[in-house]
Amino acid sequence: MKNLKVWIIAGIGAGSSLLIFMMIIIMIIFNVNLNSSCDDSESAANNPTSATGASGSWEKKGSEAYNTAKEVFDFWVKKGMSGAGAAGIVGNIGGAENTGFVLDQKEIGGGSGGGLYQFTPYTKYLNDPKSDKSWSAQNQSEVVISLEPGTVKSYLSRTKTSSPGDAATNWMNMYERPSEKAKESTNGARRSAAEKFYEMFGGASITANESILGGTVDGANAGEQAQSDEESVNCGDDSTSVPGSWIWPFKSVPKSGPSLDTAQKFGNDGGFRTNSFHDGVDFGDATYNGDIHAVHGGKISKIVKPGEYGVSFYLVWETTDDGYGIAYQEFGNMDDIFVKEGDTVKTGDKIGVSRPGGQEYSHLHLGISKEKDLGKALGKSFTDDGTWLNPVDVIKKGLENSGAGD
Ligand SMILES: [Zn+2]
């Protein structure tokens, strides 16, 4: 890899390649406009394993790469993360991000990312207010929190129980967000690297520290910043908007209703939850994914974040003039939510997106309540007393009454 880098630099340095240089500049500018932290690098996909870098193999104790990996690992543990969670992040860097743990590595092979976390573009790290421009492992990690506090917080809470491999996949889906193709080809390398780090750094003996975990990302005080930083995905002119009526949350659900297994249905779930009561329906993200539409018009009264109301995920709470409270929940991060508190939505407007692997529990949970007070409604999450209604019945009836949804 070192040789490749030298050749690239030499190629540019030769001076005859002005055209190539200009193309790189254009690519950097183009990616600034994409304004994304997404990992759009195909080079990561092409070189899924990069156990060796310019600074040696991370598997070799005492090497520079090993020490940097350990520094990143220790940083996240200090933030309250479990050994599995910290290994998941380091596994992404070592297993697929192709940095070889070179601190200021530019993406090899044409991508525009850089650094341990492959910030896209490379300058994103340098331009962040939290950056001291040192490219240290510590500071780059601080900037990750600054740029994506919602994602980091959600990941932190989620890694309390996950294995290093699952944590690596979560970090890939939540933070790296590679293309589907890159996901497929790199997931295995990320997972196995995470497992190795977990072994090497004694991850099994490190449990999440709840007290640090809770406040750690709030300290970044930028809860909404990450979202506003993303390209705005607005809901204005959606053709499925039908004021006053009801609609299924996914376009792929037929008018007759979704196909659900026992545990996904409303009501008695066969023993999965307290009192065997399921207060809504689960649209599994393997079958139903993509844009989530408002099932009914109303107002976004609250976006619950992990840690609030005793939940570990993001929840969008909509209230309607005709007396319903509607919960769209188990989002893994704020980036997947397209509305904000105070927004008015019409039936069919986009609430957010359910990506395979993007939801906290691999599904959109939709709850419809007769209770508009969120606290009271959530207080009855395990009580079948009529507070929560069967969303399939409510929507079906609404579709019949309005004649919409064909
Ligand atoms: Zn559910």
Side-chain angles (χ1 to χ4, degrees), residues 96 165 168-170 172 182-192:
T169 299
N170 276 332
M172 174 181 77
K183 260 187 206 179
E184 268 174 41
S185 61
T186 62
N187 187 29
R190 294 172 202 259
R191 293 181 71 98
S192 65

Side-chain angles (χ1 to χ4, degrees), residues 321-371:
D321 286 342
D322 49 349
Y324 297 95
I326 303 172
Y328 307 84
Q329 68 193 55
E330 286 150 61
F331 292 94
N333 67 83
M334 281 295 280
D335 294 343
D336 292 348
I337 297 171
F338 302 158
V339 290
K340 52 186 192 311
E341 287 176 4
D343 280 358
T344 300
V345 292
K346 298 188 298 296
T347 305
D349 280 349
K350 288 176 194 168
I351 296 290
V353 63
S354 179
R355 292 174 292 109
Q359 301 284 109
E360 172 91 29
Y361 297 109
S362 305
H363 59 249
L364 166 77
H365 170 106
L366 175 72
I368 300 179
S369 178
K370 288 290 282 180
E371 176 60 68

Side-chain angles (χ1 to χ4, degrees), residues 25-99:
I25 297 295
I26 287 164
M27 280 167 66
I28 289 170
I29 291 166
F30 181 64
N31 273 284
V32 168
N33 288 339
L34 283 179
N35 189 22
S36 159
S37 61
C38 305
D39 174 12
D40 53 3
S41 139
E42 287 304 322
S43 67
N46 294 337
N47 299 293
T49 52
S50 60
T52 56
S55 55
S57 165
W58 53 257
E59 290 175 275
K60 200 172 157 218
K61 195 170 179 181
S63 71
E64 208 180 314
Y66 174 98
N67 291 341
T68 302
K70 183 72 166 63
E71 206 181 325
V72 174
F73 183 89
D74 290 345
F75 174 92
W76 291 108
V77 168
K78 268 193 210 126
K79 294 292 171 192
M81 203 174 272
S82 67
I89 293 179
V90 184
N92 269 272
I93 298 172
E97 285 311 314
N98 211 8
T99 69

Side-chain angles (χ1 to χ4, degrees), residues 35-226:
N35 189 22
S36 159
S37 61
C38 305
D39 174 12
D40 53 3
S41 139
E42 287 304 322
S43 67
N46 294 337
N47 299 293
T49 52
S50 60
T52 56
S55 55
S57 165
W58 53 257
E59 290 175 275
K60 200 172 157 218
K61 195 170 179 181
S63 71
E64 208 180 314
Y66 174 98
N67 291 341
T68 302
K70 183 72 166 63
E71 206 181 325
V72 174
F73 183 89
D74 290 345
F75 174 92
W76 291 108
V77 168
K78 268 193 210 126
K79 294 292 171 192
M81 203 174 272
S82 67
I89 293 179
V90 184
N92 269 272
I93 298 172
E97 285 311 314
N98 211 8
T99 69
F101 290 96
V102 177
L103 293 169
D104 62 347
Q105 179 69 63
K106 285 207 182 181
E107 201 165 302
I108 293 172
S112 61
L116 293 174
Y117 297 89
Q118 295 287 283
F119 299 101
T120 309
Y122 181 82
T123 50
K124 194 162 186 170
Y125 164 72
L126 296 170
N127 292 336
D128 188 84
K130 284 271 161 65
S131 172
D132 64 8
K133 302 178 175 49
S134 66
W135 289 104
S136 71
Q138 166 91 16
N139 189 241
Q140 287 188 63
S141 304
E142 297 279 7
V143 169
V144 166
I145 294 178
S146 162
L147 285 168
E148 299 209 32
T151 300
V152 170
K153 189 169 186 179
S154 183
Y155 179 77
L156 276 164
S157 68
R158 188 192 279 228
T159 53
K160 274 186 284 191
T161 53
S162 57
S163 68
D166 289 347
T169 299
N170 276 332
W171 185 254
M172 174 181 77
N173 286 329
M174 297 170 76
Y175 178 80
E176 306 287 354
R177 303 193 287 280
S179 67
E180 287 303 318
K181 196 177 127 203
K183 260 187 206 179
E184 268 174 41
S185 61
T186 62
N187 187 29
R190 294 172 202 259
R191 293 181 71 98
S192 65
E195 277 153 20
K196 276 185 195 157
F197 284 117
Y198 187 71
E199 282 273 319
M200 277 166 27
F201 299 150
S205 63
I206 303 166
T207 50
N209 185 324
E210 300 266 358
S211 59
I212 307 175
L213 203 60
T216 189
V217 185
D218 293 335
N221 194 26
E224 265 63 60
Q225 189 187 313

Side-chain angles (χ1 to χ4, degrees), residues 224 227 300-306 308-309 311 313-318 328 331 333-334 337-343 351 374:
E224 265 63 60
Q227 193 191 22
I300 305 303
S301 303
K302 176 82 185 159
I303 295 179
V304 178
K305 299 181 179 68
E308 298 173 347
Y309 293 88
V311 300
F313 41 76
Y314 292 86
L315 180 156
V316 176
W317 182 245
E318 179 193 345
Y328 307 84
F331 292 94
N333 67 83
M334 281 295 280
I337 297 171
F338 302 158
V339 290
K340 52 186 192 311
E341 287 176 4
D343 280 358
I351 296 290
L374 175 60

